[in-house]
Amino acid sequence: MTRKKKMLIAKQKKGSSSLRIWLVVIIVFLIGAAACYALLPDRESPRIVLKPGKKYLNGESVVRVSIRDAGAGLEKIRISAFQEGAKQSLVNQDFGGILQQMSVQNGTQGSLLDQGFPDHPEQWATKISVSDMNLQEGKFRIRVRARDGSWANLLSGNRATAKQRYVLDRTAPRVRLESFRNNLTRGGSEAVAFRVKGKARRIGVSVGDTFFPAYRQDRNLYLALYAYPYNIAAGEERPEVVAKDRAGNTSKATLRCFVNPRDFPREKINLNSEFLRKTLPTFRRTYPEIEDRVSLFAAVNERERRRTRARLQKIGRNTVSHPLWSGAFLRQPASARQSSFAVKRSYYHDSRKISRATHLGIDLASTPQAKVPAANTGRVVYADRLGIYGKTVILDHGLGLQSLYGNLSRIRIEKGQRVNKGEVIGRTGSTGLAGGDHLHFQMMISGIPVDPVEWWDEDWIRLHIRPKLRQAGLSAKN
């Protein structure tokens, strides 16, 4: 074999060896790449939150979108609106693709295997006003699409979509007053009749932050009893009739009224140790952590009183849409008034002020365990113990008007029972946070306390309530 031939054979062997090495390198690279693709990519899709969840929106509504991807981060976001076959692009946001990211990271200390690229945010959010969308009233839908920067799915990333169907309603209901004379006293009651044209879900009278529901009488005719709360200064707020539809469109009509100012008396009550010993055991189970009697009284008088008032507002929603009462309400027979409505009380023990509260009823005392008549015809919506009021009966008289009989010793009726005006419902007592045998009598509209004296007055009812009942198409006998 010649030297030339030997050199050719050696060269061929060397080339075959190099080829085998390159094949091994390629195979190892492919195996490594496949392993990286199989093991390293983030496979969790972005999480999209699309709000509001309610169906109906108005022209002032705002669509909120928030997207989160804690793995590879977000790469692409698309938000679109659809209505009657037409598509409207709202957001087109790109944060750069994988190849772009590779070129950005090339030559840096960052590894290509790190999928959380610097400009791939983990969180993204936006607000889109409905008024900025070119939409007509009616149905439409919003679609949100998001893709992350993961190498999963052949480098196309993880995807997520969220959709929500809405109805755009820009037309507010219309309010027309039927009652124009609305004069009342601080802490007192009134009524108003009005009409609402258009669909509305929340209809009533607003006085500051306090809302009194109205009740439909005939077609679009509504009637509301409302109060000017005792804790709002006369003239500080203007009562308004409010009609709000399911999309949030709201119409208001301010009532032209004069609110008579009124100052409420103050009362200083001295508590002795015997009173605390007698009245507090009932409440120890509610506040087992408080051992000191004085501290326990303060907790009951303030915290329990707030809880009771919150329950009364809830009970106040249990009413009927028409009046059950007739004429003036009855006062406890042969009784003397011990305390008046909205008296500001300060409580002292051993010459030290320990608590304060506002008394939101009228205390009436006669003989011990005297019979208690229903002040007017109504339906029993509560007959049980009720916080500071002890054994309590609450009668619903319709339109949110309710009467409360507290501190009773006995209850003679049951929840759900209908009682007539003057019918005995229980007997006076000293249950709850009472210092002696008496009746705590309270009138409420939608759970808000009002001065009972007005409802005892036939002339006041004739001037303030009956005209509004007639305007609402109801019988004048009330």
Side-chain angles (χ1 to χ4, degrees):
M1 183 179 297
T2 65
R3 183 179 177 187
K4 186 176 181 179
K5 192 172 182 179
K6 289 181 179 179
M7 290 179 64
L8 181 61
I9 292 173
K11 190 175 182 179
Q12 288 176 345
K13 288 182 178 180
K14 185 177 180 181
S16 298
S17 178
S18 298
L19 180 61
R20 285 194 296 270
I21 291 173
W22 277 108
L23 286 174
V24 170
V25 171
I26 291 172
I27 291 172
V28 170
F29 176 79
L30 291 175
I31 292 173
C36 290
Y37 178 79
L39 299 176
L40 296 181
D42 164 37
R43 296 189 177 278
E44 185 175 349
S45 298
R47 296 182 180 181
I48 303 174
V49 177
L50 174 57
K51 292 183 178 182
K54 67 176 184 177
K55 182 178 180 181
Y56 293 89
L57 303 182
N58 62 32
E60 298 179 356
S61 298
V62 174
V63 174
R64 294 176 173 84
V65 180
S66 60
I67 309 174
R68 179 180 176 83
D69 190 278
L74 299 166
E75 181 178 296
K76 184 176 290 187
I77 297 170
R78 299 287 185 267
I79 304 178
S80 305
F82 300 85
Q83 187 176 56
E84 296 182 350
K87 177 183 176 181
Q88 181 183 164
S89 180
L90 303 176
V91 173
N92 287 306
Q93 181 72 60
D94 293 301
F95 299 101
I98 291 177
L99 294 179
Q100 179 183 345
Q101 297 295 339
M102 287 181 175
S103 64
V104 170
Q105 285 202 344
N106 190 27
T108 67
Q109 294 182 354
S111 169
L112 293 180
L113 298 181
D114 295 333
Q115 297 179 62
F117 297 112
D119 55 351
H120 276 185
E122 291 187 1
Q123 298 183 56
W124 182 90
T126 191
K127 299 177 182 179
I128 308 172
S129 176
V130 172
S131 61
D132 293 334
M133 304 180 195
N134 186 22
L135 298 172
Q136 303 296 320
E137 283 194 309
K139 297 179 180 179
F140 73 99
R141 63 186 176 92
I142 298 292
R143 184 184 70 191
V144 181
R145 287 180 172 177
R147 190 176 81 187
D148 66 14
S150 171
W151 290 13
N153 301 314
L154 299 177
L155 306 183
S156 64
N158 301 299
R159 302 168 184 261
T161 301
K163 300 177 182 178
Q164 183 71 46
R165 295 183 181 274
Y166 295 107
V167 175
L168 177 58
D169 178 7
R170 293 190 177 98
T171 305
R174 287 186 290 174
V175 174
R176 191 185 79 189
L177 298 178
E178 296 289 331
S179 304
F180 299 97
R181 183 180 177 184
N182 298 281
N183 296 327
L184 66 167
T185 301
R186 183 185 181 196
S189 310
E190 250 298 348
V192 60
F194 58 93
R195 296 183 183 274
V196 176
K197 186 175 182 180
K199 294 181 179 179
R201 295 184 71 177
R202 182 177 171 86
I203 303 174
V205 176
S206 176
V207 185
D209 295 329
T210 307
F211 182 78
F212 301 90
Y215 300 91
R216 186 175 179 177
Q217 303 304 312
D218 180 32
R219 292 191 189 179
N220 60 354
L221 184 60
Y222 290 81
L223 179 64
L225 296 180
Y226 67 99
Y228 196 92
Y230 74 95
N231 56 350
I232 300 178
E236 182 179 330
E237 298 289 350
R238 294 289 298 275
E240 294 178 315
V241 173
V242 178
K244 183 177 182 180
D245 65 18
R246 53 192 174 184
N249 298 299
T250 304
S251 288
K252 297 181 180 181
T254 301
L255 297 177
R256 290 177 292 177
C257 65
F258 176 77
V259 180
N260 294 305
R262 180 182 180 185
D263 292 326
F264 297 107
R266 297 179 180 272
E267 186 177 27
K268 181 178 178 180
I269 298 179
N270 292 304
L271 305 176
N272 56 41
S273 298
E274 178 62 21
F275 169 81
L276 299 179
R277 185 193 65 79
K278 177 184 175 183
T279 58
L280 294 179
T282 305
F283 300 98
R284 283 210 173 273
R285 287 177 294 180
T286 306
Y287 303 97
E289 73 282 4
I290 303 177
E291 297 182 2
D292 177 64
R293 286 178 178 172
V294 172
S295 300
L296 178 59
F297 173 84
V300 172
N301 190 48
E302 296 171 19
R303 283 191 249 167
E304 196 67 21
R305 193 179 295 271
R306 285 194 296 269
R307 290 180 183 176
T308 301
R309 290 177 184 172
R311 289 190 66 185
L312 290 177
Q313 291 188 40
K314 185 176 180 180
I315 295 170
R317 296 195 290 267
N318 184 3
T319 189
V320 295
S321 61
H322 57 279
L324 300 176
W325 82 88
S326 177
F329 282 63
L330 299 179
R331 189 181 187 274
Q332 176 72 8
S335 61
R337 184 185 300 191
Q338 290 186 324
S339 185
S340 298
F341 174 75
V343 172
K344 298 177 182 179
R345 289 177 168 177
S346 296
Y347 298 85
Y348 289 80
H349 182 263
D350 289 341
S351 301
R352 180 171 64 92
K353 186 176 180 179
I354 62 172
S355 184
R356 62 182 180 180
T358 302
H359 184 253
L360 295 176
I362 293 182
D363 289 343
L364 301 168
S366 56
T367 58
Q369 298 192 10
K371 293 180 180 180
V372 176
N376 220 313
T377 300
R379 180 174 56 96
V380 182
V381 292
Y382 193 89
D384 204 344
R385 287 189 175 271
L386 184 64
I388 60 171
Y389 298 129
K391 292 183 179 181
T392 302
V393 170
I394 300 176
L395 301 182
D396 175 56
H397 306 287
L399 299 171
L401 182 65
Q402 297 180 341
S403 57
L404 179 149
Y405 312 78
N407 305 126
L408 302 176
S409 60
R410 291 176 56 190
I411 296 175
R412 295 185 56 178
I413 40 80
E414 297 179 352
K415 184 178 178 180
Q417 181 179 339
R418 181 184 173 94
V419 296
N420 296 318
K421 186 176 184 177
E423 183 177 341
V424 176
I425 60 173
R427 289 183 177 271
T428 62
S430 56
T431 56
L433 206 61
D437 189 292
H438 72 284
L439 170 68
H440 173 85
F441 182 74
Q442 190 166 311
M443 292 292 294
M444 301 167 291
I445 298 176
S446 299
I448 302 300
V450 296
D451 192 348
V453 172
E454 294 179 336
W455 293 94
W456 287 336
D457 187 346
E458 176 66 32
D459 288 336
W460 178 85
I461 292 177
R462 177 177 56 82
L463 293 173
H464 290 263
I465 304 299
R466 286 200 185 118
K468 318 301 171 56
L469 298 181
R470 286 194 296 267
Q471 290 163 355
L474 296 173
S475 172
K477 69 178 183 178
N478 302 93

